[in-house]
Amino acid sequence: MEWSKESVHALVTKQREYFLTGKTLSIAFRKAQLLKLKNMLIKYQSEIEQALHEDLGRCDTEAYLCDIGPVILELDETIRGLKKWARPERLLSGVACFPSATTKIYKMPYGVSLIVAPFNFPFLLSVGVLIPAIAGGNTAVIKCSSKSKASTACLQKIIAATFPEQYITVVDGGHDVADFCLNERFDKIFYTGSPRIGIHVMECAAKNLTPVTLELGGETGNWCIIRKDADLLDAAKKIAFFKICNSGQICININQIAVAEEVADKFIKVLKQAFISQIGEQAFKNPEYAKLITRGAYDYCAKEAEEYRDRIVFGGEGDPETCKYSPTIIYPVKIDEKIVNHELFSPLLPIVTYKDNEVDQLLNTIARREHGLALYLFTKDMSWARKTMSTQQYGGGCVNEVIMHMVVKGAPFGGTGHSGMGCYHGVWGFREFTHPSTVLFGKTKLNLPMRQHPYNKKKKDFLKRFIK
């Protein structure tokens, strides 16, 4: 349907009325809806895979690996843990609250939530966020990207077949429809996308003082640092696989590599071989290789590659008709050049060199830029790695690995600064979609008179001694 300001408002009103009935509050209801969501993914798996292929050129294996499988795992974890997570916490009120002995913390849903999902993982980053929204007892409006048309249409169809619109609804359309949603009074907004649009989301949310979670890519990208003692072959295989995945359109993908100059030439050699062995010399001709989302995204990628044509040592070619551009190594690149100072979201891979004994200067430069969503280190020096990961500012990351931190059960995923705020996955997502409400249970007898006026000298002296 064509969404208008009026129809969006009517939908939000309908969801608010449904939430106020209290139907979403019971744990049994929430678990039943999560199970419906899981069965929906299983039932429509082939349609989801087809939609992902149409939008992003994904093969069915990559579609399941990146969008469907992780969501099912997240559902299983949430269904198992929900009863425990939602249970009110009981605290002793303390002597200052005498005669009250008991205080409880209730995990209350915010109410009507808005989930704004991007194009690059249209099911993972919509249904994956819907999971904690449902677990928290909220209703949800999902605004999907207009760029991933097939996936948006598929999600709209399968959600409508699974849930009533007053509970869960998918809204399609462009930026105008997104603004219709953002200008409504939601109780919680969860946005995944770019820092630039994240600012706009916060501005809209501020008008209604709506709490916001932002999952952003990071304005100056995610660094991968390779020390001279690293296992170069292992690093190359993992980096190549990661950069090939979804044609680089991943918010936590490696944006640029800093490699110790002592091993740079050797690393470039093994990285080229890793790309060739996994996807071929002309990846854009491989049917397993994903495409860039639109012709505009392809043209932007190709144009930026041309600016560094004289330093492309691998790749640098594509097919505008299929919107596939090969993984492209650009080397060498200085740390202050434009290409390593913004998020690429493409298969371009610039490589900066540094002297291994000057790695602290490299880290200092990175620290002065906007915080990335991810940081990856390859080294045998675990003491240095632990120190680095515990002192730098970034969303999350790995040592001698890539991407796998985001699939660790029970671990939070989120950014900081220009890479976002808030986090989710498992219990962390449940917390993101609920408000902890503290309730003290008072007594009607034995209440101390010190909390009552007037304060005579005897009462004042007693009160001061009691507080001390």
Side-chain angles (χ1 to χ4, degrees):
M1 65 176 287
E2 289 279 334
W3 290 95
S4 64
K5 181 180 179 180
E6 291 73 23
S7 60
V8 169
H9 178 72
L11 172 62
V12 175
T13 301
K14 191 181 294 185
Q15 288 212 355
R16 191 170 305 285
E17 290 302 315
Y18 183 75
F19 174 75
L20 291 174
T21 65
K23 290 180 181 178
T24 68
L25 297 181
S26 86
I27 303 305
F29 175 85
R30 301 184 210 181
K31 290 180 77 170
Q33 307 317 302
L34 292 169
L35 189 58
K36 280 185 186 179
L37 198 58
K38 179 179 178 179
N39 291 335
M40 179 194 82
L41 292 171
I42 295 170
K43 179 180 179 180
Y44 293 101
Q45 178 182 332
S46 61
E47 290 187 41
I48 293 171
E49 290 172 351
Q50 180 57 39
L52 289 167
H53 179 75
E54 188 174 334
D55 285 329
L56 291 154
R58 300 247 200 99
C59 64
D60 55 359
T61 301
E62 188 170 300
Y64 192 86
L65 181 66
C66 296
D67 262 271
I68 304 169
V71 175
I72 292 176
L73 290 174
E74 184 77 10
L75 278 161
D76 288 340
E77 180 182 353
T78 303
I79 291 168
R80 283 194 301 268
L82 181 57
K83 185 177 180 180
K84 178 181 178 182
W85 303 342
R87 185 181 300 135
E89 294 181 30
R90 186 185 180 98
L91 301 175
L92 293 176
S93 299
V95 67
C97 299
F98 181 86
S100 168
T102 303
T103 294
K104 285 190 175 182
I105 302 172
Y106 293 97
K107 286 69 175 285
M108 301 301 297
Y110 280 109
V112 183
S113 62
L114 172 64
I115 299 167
V116 184
F119 69 83
N120 58 327
F121 292 95
F123 293 90
L124 175 67
L125 300 179
S126 57
V127 179
V129 181
L130 178 61
I131 294 169
I134 290 175
N138 305 274
T139 69
V141 174
I142 305 172
K143 169 60 183 73
C144 291
S145 174
S146 59
K147 293 180 179 179
S148 50
K149 294 180 181 179
S151 295
T152 295
C154 178
L155 188 61
Q156 201 164 34
K157 171 192 166 183
I158 64 180
I159 287 289
T162 309
F163 302 106
E165 68 171 0
Q166 66 266 30
Y167 180 45
I168 311 291
T169 303
V170 175
V171 172
D172 59 356
H175 296 305
D176 56 338
V177 177
D179 279 343
F180 294 155
C181 293
L182 290 170
N183 289 324
E184 286 293 321
R185 185 186 173 278
F186 281 92
D187 301 305
K188 173 71 178 180
I189 297 175
F190 193 112
Y191 168 78
T192 305
S194 71
R196 180 177 61 85
I197 303 300
I199 292 170
H200 176 62
V201 171
M202 286 199 73
E203 288 174 342
C204 293
K207 295 173 185 176
N208 292 308
L209 297 179
T210 302
V212 175
T213 302
L214 300 177
E215 294 296 343
L216 312 175
E219 203 161 296
T220 49
N222 307 314
W223 283 86
C224 175
I225 301 173
I226 300 176
R227 300 292 302 273
K228 70 177 183 181
D229 66 345
D231 184 324
L232 300 182
L233 182 59
D234 177 69
K237 288 178 179 178
K238 291 171 178 175
I239 291 168
F241 169 79
F242 196 16
K243 200 66 181 178
I244 289 167
C245 186
N246 211 34
S247 198
Q249 299 167 112
I250 304 177
C251 59
I252 57 171
N253 213 326
I254 294 166
N255 204 74
Q256 57 270 314
I257 296 174
V259 59
E261 63 180 30
E262 295 89 338
V263 295
D265 289 340
K266 183 178 180 182
F267 174 70
I268 296 295
K269 182 179 179 181
V270 294
L271 182 59
K272 287 180 187 178
Q273 189 54 49
F275 276 127
I276 292 169
S277 64
Q278 291 186 40
I279 205 71
E281 288 194 59
Q282 293 183 305
F284 69 94
K285 293 183 179 179
N286 191 319
E288 288 191 359
Y289 185 55
K291 70 184 185 72
L292 293 164
I293 186 65
T294 62
R295 178 62 185 267
Y298 175 91
D299 290 342
Y300 186 85
C301 171
K303 181 177 180 292
E304 188 155 32
E306 283 305 312
E307 294 174 13
Y308 295 86
R309 175 58 60 184
D310 60 330
R311 284 179 276 173
I312 291 177
V313 297
F314 180 80
E317 56 185 349
D319 182 353
E321 295 304 314
T322 61
C323 292
K324 291 187 177 186
Y325 200 90
S326 291
T328 298
I329 303 172
I330 302 172
Y331 170 78
V333 177
K334 295 179 180 177
I335 200 167
D336 57 353
E337 292 191 57
K338 184 185 76 170
I339 197 169
V340 292
N341 277 278
H342 73 97
E343 186 183 16
L344 294 172
F345 223 62
S346 74
L348 303 185
L349 188 56
I351 297 183
V352 175
T353 60
Y354 68 96
K355 289 183 172 63
D356 194 70
N357 63 0
E358 296 177 359
V359 68
D360 289 341
Q361 294 178 30
L362 170 70
L363 290 171
N364 184 55
T365 300
I366 294 171
R368 292 177 183 276
R369 297 181 179 177
E370 301 299 350
H371 307 325
L373 185 55
L375 176 65
Y376 303 103
L377 308 179
F378 284 89
T379 181
K380 292 185 177 71
D381 187 345
M382 288 300 104
S383 176
W384 173 82
R386 281 189 288 269
K387 178 184 176 183
T388 299
M389 295 308 254
S390 63
T391 55
Q392 293 295 299
Q393 291 176 294
Y394 55 96
C398 302
V399 177
N400 294 324
E401 189 53 270
V402 293
I403 197 174
M404 299 309 294
H405 65 289
M406 76 166 291
V407 297
V408 177
K409 182 182 174 182
F413 174 76
T416 177
H418 278 237
S419 60
M421 60 179 68
C423 57
Y424 69 123
H425 288 181
V427 67
W428 300 88
F430 174 82
R431 292 170 182 167
E432 202 67 30
F433 276 92
T434 54
H435 169 71
S437 296
T438 299
V439 178
L440 179 141
F441 290 83
K443 300 290 185 181
T444 58
K445 300 184 185 300
L446 300 177
N447 287 288
L448 298 178
M450 66 179 180
R451 288 191 291 139
Q452 299 170 15
H453 289 279
Y455 289 127
N456 55 37
K457 185 177 186 306
K458 184 178 180 181
K459 190 181 289 187
K460 285 180 183 178
D461 291 342
F462 176 78
L463 182 59
K464 288 177 182 178
R465 286 196 303 271
F466 183 83
I467 292 172
K468 287 179 181 179

